[in-house]
Amino acid sequence: MTSHQTTQTMKPATAAKKLGVYLEATPAEFQEGVVSRSELNALQTDPPQWLEDLRRTGPHPRPVVAAKLGISIAGLARGGISEALTTEQIDALKQDNPEWLRKERATQAEVRKESVRIKEKNKEKSAQQADEPRGPRS
């Protein structure tokens, strides 16, 4: 009996998400086909010029825009940003530093601080439980 291995493929939208690029800005042949796992790995290890350009100048998908601005995706929506932005547009927003962006950055900083506090609290709790002697088993 021979084992038959099928090639794992994904939709272009999934591949674009894994590559961190905006699907609508990719070449037509990328958007229309399917991407195999080996093709995705090749794109990641040796990106073609179009991929390098997209990563450098955009347009960028919302998760990348949010990360570059230091806010959440929900914060983008609250700020009225629903479309992909180029690196130039992101830089202009950073320079203008509108009130909504300052507010969202402050909110994000609080969320990060709270996450660290909870992590530390859980770590202490785990350490205390590890130190407690275990009772006899019945």
Side-chain angles (χ1 to χ4, degrees):
M1 181 147 69
T2 60
S3 84
H4 180 61
Q5 212 173 14
T6 59
T7 304
Q8 185 181 16
T9 60
M10 62 193 83
K11 294 177 183 175
T14 303
K17 188 174 183 178
K18 289 181 181 285
L19 293 169
V21 295
Y22 186 57
L23 177 63
E24 285 75 14
T26 61
E29 59 270 10
F30 181 85
Q31 292 180 37
E32 295 164 1
V34 293
V35 181
S36 71
R37 174 65 61 188
S38 58
E39 289 171 332
L40 178 69
N41 290 340
L43 286 169
Q44 289 173 323
T45 55
D46 188 24
Q49 190 62 47
W50 64 264
L51 182 54
E52 287 180 355
D53 292 344
L54 273 179
R55 286 178 170 167
R56 184 174 41 259
T57 62
H60 303 286
R62 288 182 312 144
V64 174
V65 173
K68 286 180 179 273
L69 290 173
I71 62 175
S72 67
I73 295 172
L76 271 181
R78 286 190 293 269
I81 307 291
S82 58
E83 72 280 353
L85 298 179
T86 64
T87 301
E88 189 177 301
Q89 291 169 314
I90 294 168
D91 290 344
L93 258 177
K94 284 179 179 177
Q95 194 170 24
D96 292 346
N97 201 17
E99 176 63 32
W100 70 266
L101 182 56
R102 287 193 300 274
K103 183 179 174 188
E104 290 301 333
R105 283 181 167 168
T107 300
Q108 192 67 17
E110 286 299 315
V111 167
R112 286 187 191 113
K113 214 159 65 171
E114 182 65 7
S115 294
V116 168
R117 188 191 68 77
I118 290 170
K119 195 180 223 180
E120 291 297 320
K121 183 179 175 183
N122 289 340
K123 193 186 291 184
E124 288 174 18
K125 194 174 185 179
S126 294
Q128 286 175 351
Q129 288 175 347
D131 290 344
E132 288 178 7
R134 306 227 184 236
R137 293 183 184 230
S138 42

